[in-house]
Amino acid sequence: MPLRQRDGAHSHDVVTGESFVRHGPAEPRSPVILSVPHAGRDYPDALRAALRVPLAALRGLEDRHADAIALAARRDETLFVATRPRAWIDLNRAEHERDPRLDDGAWPHGAPLSAKLRSGLGLVPRRVGSAGDIWQRRLSADEVQQRIHADHRPWHAAIAAALASARARFGVAVLLDVHSMPPLGNPATAAQLVPGDRFGKSAAGRFLGRIEGVARAHGIRTMANTPYSGGHILERHGDPRRGVHAIQLEFDRSLYLDSALDQPGPGLATAVRLLRDLIDAVADEALPGAIAAE
């Protein structure tokens, strides 16, 4: 059973499940739904016992404290924050993206392995950066299947239900999937925000136009879909023809973390204002369609 408690800052329920927390109402009050799938820091004992790398090495898989931006920027929007870490299961990978070099339940499906899988970043990551292989042993099919049932499917079911509810109420729904990225290069010229819509497949182009305009007003450089266009979450939930749009937002970690890119830093408040303005712009872009639909 989920644990229900009050969120004093926003006077809405906070619902805690096994692997994620929902902030805000089950019936969305905005066409914009927020999600943070990769900032989880609740490392289960079973994961800790199976590691061959120091626990701290797994921070390389986290969107480190990206949840801090979303939690502070949120007002009445419904927000989902994963608490399980990406090292346990990656919510932005499809169920079939299982790594045969790690997972006894991986199955051949006729197609060559994706670049992500070959690099060790499948449904359950096999490797982390320069630290190398994560696990001391292979994972059984049942272990991974249990993670799918307990963590992956409930997350996607909750996102789908919120989007469907928003679509029913407003005539349109937009998922903003909040991530973070390492600095992409020269601090003076590299993109600091990468909005992704799978090159137009997961959202109408007008939303990215509004996002890029807000970023420019904040003095933030953007590069749409490059190098991150969005993964399984956008592919699964974005359906622009039905009025359901999904956009990934990759924030440069140096915008909001300290110089070690580890803890929230002095730029957090600025990143929060940016995300808040992005939410407002996307909602403004969505609502005329919703009004027409009603």
Side-chain angles (χ1 to χ4, degrees), residues 100-162:
R101 296 179 63 181
L102 171 67
D103 176 358
D104 287 341
W107 60 89
H109 48 77
L113 297 180
S114 68
K116 293 288 187 184
L117 265 179
R118 292 196 305 272
S119 66
L121 294 177
L123 181 67
V124 177
R126 172 172 48 85
R127 295 177 57 81
V128 56
S130 60
D133 287 348
I134 294 172
W135 307 98
Q136 295 180 19
R137 58 174 177 80
R138 292 182 62 83
L139 303 180
S140 73
D142 286 346
E143 283 180 279
V144 177
Q145 197 63 38
Q146 194 278 332
R147 298 180 196 184
I148 291 171
H149 282 282
D151 303 317
H152 194 276
R153 289 182 183 173
W155 168 268
H156 285 283
I159 297 289

Side-chain angles (χ1 to χ4, degrees), residues 21-286:
V21 179
R22 191 195 79 223
H23 300 262
E27 298 294 325
R29 297 184 180 180
S30 166
V32 178
I33 306 298
L34 304 171
S35 61
V36 187
H38 282 166
R41 299 180 292 278
D42 177 14
Y43 286 88
D45 289 342
L47 179 150
R48 295 168 183 259
L51 289 179
R52 67 183 301 162
V53 297
L55 185 65
L58 299 185
R59 292 179 183 178
L61 290 170
E62 293 178 13
D63 286 346
R64 191 72 172 156
H65 295 294
D67 52 329
I69 310 173
L71 285 164
R74 173 193 162 260
R75 290 180 187 156
D76 288 336
E77 295 81 20
T78 297
L79 161 65
F80 297 91
V81 177
T83 54
R84 286 281 193 255
R86 184 182 180 187
W88 181 250
I89 192 164
D90 190 338
L91 302 172
N92 205 24
R93 297 285 179 268
E95 290 185 17
H96 69 265
E97 293 183 272
R98 298 172 67 165
D99 190 336
R101 296 179 63 181
L102 171 67
D103 176 358
D104 287 341
W107 60 89
H109 48 77
L113 297 180
S114 68
K116 293 288 187 184
L117 265 179
R118 292 196 305 272
S119 66
L121 294 177
L123 181 67
V124 177
R126 172 172 48 85
R127 295 177 57 81
V128 56
S130 60
D133 287 348
I134 294 172
W135 307 98
Q136 295 180 19
R137 58 174 177 80
R138 292 182 62 83
L139 303 180
S140 73
D142 286 346
E143 283 180 279
V144 177
Q145 197 63 38
Q146 194 278 332
R147 298 180 196 184
I148 291 171
H149 282 282
D151 303 317
H152 194 276
R153 289 182 183 173
W155 168 268
H156 285 283
I159 297 289
L163 289 169
S165 181
R167 169 66 177 81
R169 179 173 182 179
F170 299 104
V172 64
V174 187
L175 177 67
L176 292 181
D177 195 41
V178 178
H179 295 250
S180 71
M181 62 185 182
L184 293 179
N186 186 332
T189 58
Q192 301 161 293
L193 175 71
V194 175
D197 64 358
R198 295 183 61 81
F199 296 95
K201 293 179 182 177
S202 68
R206 67 182 189 276
F207 290 107
L208 251 60
R210 288 295 295 269
I211 287 168
E212 290 172 325
V214 169
R216 282 194 301 272
H218 279 256
I220 296 295
R221 296 181 298 276
T222 64
M223 181 67 74
N225 289 304
T226 306
Y228 307 107
S229 64
H232 175 64
I233 290 173
L234 267 58
E235 182 179 28
R236 178 165 179 168
H237 296 288
D239 191 352
R241 290 174 297 179
R242 294 184 55 253
V244 180
H245 308 266
I247 298 162
Q248 181 172 285
L249 297 175
E250 291 273 4
F251 288 83
D252 182 337
R253 289 174 197 148
S254 66
L255 287 176
Y256 69 94
L257 294 179
D258 59 18
S259 59
L261 301 183
D262 183 58
Q263 296 296 319
L268 177 62
T270 300
V272 169
R273 287 193 294 271
L274 170 60
L275 178 56
R276 182 64 248 171
D277 286 351
L278 292 172
I279 294 167
D280 288 341
V282 167
D284 180 66
E285 189 65 36

